[in-house]
Amino acid sequence: MISATRSGPPPRAEVARDPAVTARADRAGPGAPPPSSSAERYRALVDAHFNFIWRSLRGLGVPAGSADDAAQHVFLIAYQKLEEIAPGRERSFLFGTALGVAANARRAGARRRERCDDDAMAAAADGAPDPERLVEMKQARELLDEVLDAMEDDLRVAFVLFELEGVPTEEISAMLGLPKGTVASRLRRAREEFRAIARRVQARAQHGGGKR
């Protein structure tokens, strides 16, 4: 069975922690930096949720080479709408924004299968894996991406949140605006679909077949 392997953001993603960097990319927004309290809230927002959003974007189909830019975009939107984000709803807002960013990336044809996940895999690993271990991690990530890409979007979202990120079902219900029963149903169906697709992908890989 393909394991639901996580990968983490590479160190260069840390540039998003400075709101001034994001502000410079916001050509349409205000030129001045935010007030001190807003800047502090923004930094806290990024510190608390950047890794989660980066990994979620990967799980939603954004390639590793594009995940930094996509995450920057999510937090740029959060920066622009900071005053509209209710306290306690930060993660829901960010994930909802990430859904749109990931969908736009796919529609724009940015969902290219990449062969350069090594940096992300190394960042997620403990210590310094040897080359053979890195190859295994890269292959596992590629297989996981292929399975996730083949899942229905609604099931994929539930699977990424619960199985990959460990978000409780109650919070998923609040984040997606769905009844808890619907979330539970989607998770059950997502697990079944994940296992079925994984079996097909692994069987094809063992027989040397290409991707469908």
Side-chain angles (χ1 to χ4, degrees), residues 7-179:
S7 63
R12 63 181 179 276
E14 293 290 325
V15 296
R17 297 186 183 279
D18 181 1
V21 173
T22 304
R24 284 198 294 272
D26 180 12
R27 297 192 178 99
S36 176
S37 60
S38 296
E40 291 174 1
R41 187 186 182 198
Y42 177 84
R43 291 189 189 101
L45 194 73
V46 177
D47 287 341
H49 302 296
F50 189 91
N51 289 357
F52 165 72
I53 290 301
W54 193 95
R55 292 192 306 264
S56 295
L57 288 164
R58 290 289 292 114
L60 294 169
V62 177
S66 303
D68 283 6
D69 288 342
Q72 293 274 6
H73 190 191
V74 170
F75 281 90
L76 170 59
I77 294 171
Y79 173 78
Q80 293 171 327
K81 299 185 176 182
L82 197 59
E83 294 183 358
E84 302 175 22
I85 305 174
R89 296 287 298 169
E90 291 87 356
R91 187 149 84 155
S92 293
F93 175 89
L94 291 168
F95 186 79
T97 303
L99 284 174
V101 170
N104 287 338
R106 291 194 298 269
R107 281 196 295 269
R111 188 60 184 98
R112 299 185 303 271
R113 180 65 59 192
E114 297 216 354
R115 302 296 178 184
C116 59
D117 252 356
D118 291 351
D119 289 344
M121 291 297 110
D126 294 329
D130 58 30
E132 184 176 347
R133 174 60 177 157
L134 286 175
V135 169
E136 292 175 355
M137 294 167 67
K138 179 180 177 182
Q139 291 174 340
R141 179 72 232 194
E142 289 174 350
L143 288 173
L144 175 61
D145 284 346
E146 185 173 356
V147 175
L148 292 175
D149 284 349
M151 294 178 70
E152 295 180 28
D153 287 344
D154 290 346
L155 303 185
R156 177 178 185 159
V157 169
F159 187 90
V160 167
L161 283 172
F162 187 82
E163 297 291 348
L164 301 190
E165 292 303 322
V167 179
T169 54
E170 295 82 0
E171 186 175 352
I172 296 175
S173 175
M175 290 173 72
L176 302 181
L178 296 171

